[in-house]
């Protein structure tokens, strides 16, 4: 029986857990001091690396990441540089990380879904941490049809601007095109062409 068992009732089934004690001799006797409980053991390096890689793979199942973004996620787990390099290189070999493929996806989305110009597409790829050489290669495969795409976008907006005077309508429409990544001269030309088309009287057909 320990000193903590003194005073316990016979019917108690669960005695109070005994904490570790430090016994210190004093002039008046012995002093008992409870020691702080040990913290749960920290996972070792291999376990932390495996957990970090598992979290990264789970994130990749939800959304494609660039190599730069993958490295940033691993740094959040406080892995050292060698461990990060090892994980990233393995995922690149397996094809789970592929900046060239990601760049192609983003270029396609920028052109087909967002109707963006080259400048806006390049900025979106750069924001994902993709290398400039990879960006240039992806954009080089685009057809040289920026004006046609800008004009297509401008045609969809021109009718709503006809209530403004010519200069205001042109300034607003070219500004919208510029914000979508079309260069200043190209944006101005496409906006002017779209507004001229919108103001052109439509031919009517009469049946006698």
């Amino acid at each position: 029986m320990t000193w903590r068992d003194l005073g316990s009732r016979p019917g108690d089934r669960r005695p109070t857990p005994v904490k570790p004690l430090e016994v210190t001799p004093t002039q008046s006797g012995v002093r008992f001091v409870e020691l702080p409980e040990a913290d749960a053991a920290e996972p070792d390096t291999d376990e932390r690396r495996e957990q970090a890689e598992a979290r990264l793979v789970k994130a990749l199942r939800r959304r494609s990441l660039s190599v730069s973004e993958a490295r940033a996620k691993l740094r959040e787990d406080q892995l050292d540089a060698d461990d990060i390099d090892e994980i990233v290189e393995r995922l690149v070999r397996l094809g789970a990380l592929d900046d060239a493929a990601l760049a192609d996806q983003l270029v396609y989305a920028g052109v087909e879904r967002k109707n963006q110009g080259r400048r806006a597409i390049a900025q979106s790829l750069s924001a994902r941490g993709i290398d400039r050489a990879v960006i240039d290669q992806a954009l080089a495969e685009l057809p040289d049809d920026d004006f046609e795409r800008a004009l297509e976008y401008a045609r969809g907006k021109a009718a709503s601007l006809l209530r403004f005077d010519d200069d205001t309508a042109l300034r607003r429409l070219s500004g919208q095109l510029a914000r979508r990544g079309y260069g200043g001269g190209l944006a101005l030309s496409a906006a002017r062409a779209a507004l001229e088309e919108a103001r052109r009287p439509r031919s009517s057909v009469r049946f006698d």
Side-chain angles (χ1 to χ4, degrees), residues 57-76:
V57 170
K58 185 177 180 180
L60 285 167
R61 292 195 183 105
R62 296 192 300 267
R63 176 176 179 261
S64 295
L65 299 174
S66 68
V67 169
S68 176
E69 290 169 331
R71 287 184 178 277
K73 280 192 170 294
L74 292 172
R75 283 194 294 271
E76 291 175 1

Side-chain angles (χ1 to χ4, degrees), residues 11 13 17 34-35 41 50 58 69 72 74 77 102 105 108 117 120 122 159 165 191 197:
R13 293 185 179 181
E34 291 185 359
L35 297 176
E50 291 172 1
K58 185 177 180 180
E69 290 169 331
L74 292 172
D77 289 303
L102 177 60
Q105 293 173 14
Y108 177 83
D165 62 80
E197 287 183 10

Side-chain angles (χ1 to χ4, degrees), residues 76-149:
E76 291 175 1
D77 289 303
Q78 299 180 342
L79 297 184
D80 61 37
D82 289 340
D83 288 336
I84 291 175
D85 288 343
E86 179 184 339
I87 293 172
V88 168
E89 288 170 6
R90 178 164 55 252
L91 293 177
V92 168
R93 288 196 306 271
L94 293 173
L97 290 172
D98 187 337
D99 277 5
L102 177 60
D104 288 341
Q105 293 173 14
L106 295 175
V107 168
Y108 177 83
V111 171
E112 298 297 329
R113 288 168 33 204
K114 301 178 182 179
N115 208 346
Q116 293 178 321
R118 289 172 182 269
R119 185 173 62 186
I121 294 173
Q123 289 173 347
S124 67
L125 270 63
S126 181
R128 299 288 299 271
I130 297 175
D131 185 77
R132 183 70 215 187
V134 177
I135 295 174
D136 290 343
Q137 180 61 36
L139 292 176
E141 298 177 6
L142 276 178
D144 188 15
D145 61 351
D146 270 18
F147 180 80
E148 288 75 13
R149 288 188 288 111

Side-chain angles (χ1 to χ4, degrees), residues 189-201:
S189 297
R192 184 177 288 111
L195 289 169
E196 288 176 356
E197 287 183 10
R199 290 193 176 96
R200 194 175 302 151

